Amino acid sequence: MPRQPQKSSGRLAAKRKLQNTELVDAKKEKLETNSSQINAKDSGDTKDCSVESLTALQKAKIENNRLKALQLRKTKQEAEEQKAANYKKIKQSVAVEVDTGAGFFIDDDATENTDDLDISDLIADEPFVIAGDGQDVECVECCRPFTLSFLRSKFKVNVCDDCHDRETHRLITRTTAKTRYLLKDSDLDKREPILQFVTKKNPRNNYWGEMKLYLESQCHDRAMEIWGSMENIEEEATKRKILSAKSKAKKYDKKMNELKKEVRSSLYKVELSGHTHQYSEETYNEETDEYSKSCITCNHTLTYEKM
């Protein structure tokens, strides 16, 4: 009896050992199969999956998908460009305008400077006019003879176009000439010799008024003729700034006082009804032969005669 369980346990152990061996062999076989397939792909033994093996229907479907993707990308690009253009238009329409003091406004982010202009910007636009009798004159810079010149034609300055300098022959607007050199309209238009100028369309908008551009060197000479020196001009400009600040302060104080009066007047009601006198008994003055009586509340005295 005791030997039978030993036989059955031995059979079970042998069976389990056999199953484990079969599992190990199966795993080894599977690993060998996978490795052989990988090697076959690397060596080109696998089935060819190139475009040549595709059918005509598959090729047409691939081409159709490619065209759809290109069209979608193009549509997105156009939408982004349109969005950027709209944003730029909106930004330009709401740009802050700055008063240049020259009779027109410019955008705050404007990069073009209309205050000081170079002569070369106008030479190509302005027609030449032969000054005087059309004879040659000598250039004050290079001492060479010349006949046609922008400066000679427009400002009566004997300088040829080759010698014009950006700093020396700079153009400024009429308002700049008045604020920088403290010149009046009469100094520019009536004082002899009358300063020459050229007109140019406003670079910001052709429908705005034209700018009057003067030669800065001539404006400087006219200021020296009136004020004597730049120190006097700076001193006068300082005085005007102080007076302007005082005037603004006075206007501000006046407006504040008016506002205070309005606020205070709204805090109480004005008594519109008149005062009624309450007189005491009348008295008689024998010397003047007059009667008088006084108000009890306001001390008003009423004098009168009786017939």
Side-chain angles (χ1 to χ4, degrees), residues 23-51:
L23 289 173
V24 171
D25 293 340
K27 289 182 179 180
K28 288 183 178 180
E29 185 177 357
K30 188 175 181 179
L31 290 174
E32 291 177 356
T33 303
N34 292 335
S35 62
S36 63
Q37 288 179 357
I38 293 172
N39 294 331
K41 286 181 180 179
D42 295 339
S43 60
D45 296 338
T46 58
K47 186 178 180 180
D48 186 14
C49 295
S50 62
V51 180

Side-chain angles (χ1 to χ4, degrees), residues 85-126:
N86 293 337
Y87 175 76
K88 187 175 181 181
K89 289 181 180 179
I90 294 173
K91 185 177 179 182
Q92 291 177 353
S93 63
V94 300
V96 179
E97 293 185 341
V98 180
D99 187 3
T100 61
F104 60 92
F105 292 85
I106 61 173
D107 297 337
D108 190 21
D109 57 351
T111 57
E112 183 177 355
N113 184 11
T114 59
D115 188 19
D116 300 327
L117 301 176
D118 184 17
I119 279 260
S120 58
D121 299 335
L122 299 175
I123 289 179
D125 300 332
E126 293 287 339

Side-chain angles (χ1 to χ4, degrees), residues 1-13:
M1 292 295 298
R3 291 181 180 178
Q4 187 172 0
Q6 292 179 356
K7 290 182 180 180
S8 61
S9 61
R11 291 176 181 175
L12 290 172

Side-chain angles (χ1 to χ4, degrees), residues 245-258:
K246 290 182 179 179
S247 177
K248 289 181 180 179
K250 288 182 179 179
K251 290 181 180 179
Y252 175 79
D253 294 338
K254 184 178 180 181
K255 290 183 179 180
M256 289 300 298
N257 292 332
E258 292 177 355

Side-chain angles (χ1 to χ4, degrees), residues 90-244:
I90 294 173
K91 185 177 179 182
Q92 291 177 353
S93 63
V94 300
V96 179
E97 293 185 341
V98 180
D99 187 3
T100 61
F104 60 92
F105 292 85
I106 61 173
D107 297 337
D108 190 21
D109 57 351
T111 57
E112 183 177 355
N113 184 11
T114 59
D115 188 19
D116 300 327
L117 301 176
D118 184 17
I119 279 260
S120 58
D121 299 335
L122 299 175
I123 289 179
D125 300 332
E126 293 287 339
F128 285 105
V129 178
I130 300 177
D133 54 359
Q135 296 180 357
D136 291 347
V137 295
E138 191 176 84
C139 177
V140 298
E141 299 291 340
C142 63
C143 300
R144 292 184 300 179
F146 71 95
T147 304
L148 299 178
S149 171
F150 180 82
L151 289 175
R152 184 189 179 192
S153 172
K154 298 300 180 180
F155 298 99
K156 300 179 180 180
V157 178
N158 294 333
V159 176
C160 63
D161 293 334
D162 296 333
C163 295
H164 83 267
D165 182 69
R166 188 177 183 83
E167 295 297 328
T168 305
H169 306 123
R170 183 169 49 186
L171 300 180
I172 58 176
T173 61
R174 183 183 181 89
T175 303
T176 303
K178 293 167 65 176
T179 56
R180 184 179 298 177
Y181 298 105
L182 304 183
L183 298 176
K184 302 178 182 178
D185 292 331
S186 59
D187 298 330
L188 298 173
D189 301 332
K190 296 181 179 180
R191 185 183 290 269
E192 296 293 338
I194 298 175
L195 296 183
Q196 303 296 319
F197 63 88
V198 294
T199 59
K200 183 181 179 182
K201 291 184 178 180
N202 195 293
R204 293 298 165 190
N205 194 330
N206 292 331
Y207 295 100
W208 293 343
E210 292 184 343
M211 299 184 301
K212 288 184 178 182
L213 303 177
Y214 293 83
L215 196 62
E216 187 177 14
S217 59
Q218 293 182 348
C219 295
H220 179 271
D221 296 340
R222 179 59 54 86
M224 293 300 100
E225 178 184 347
I226 297 172
W227 296 102
S229 63
M230 290 300 298
E231 288 77 9
N232 295 336
I233 294 177
E234 294 176 358
E235 183 178 355
E236 180 66 20
T238 304
K239 291 181 180 179
R240 293 185 182 184
K241 287 181 180 179
I242 295 174
L243 293 175
S244 177

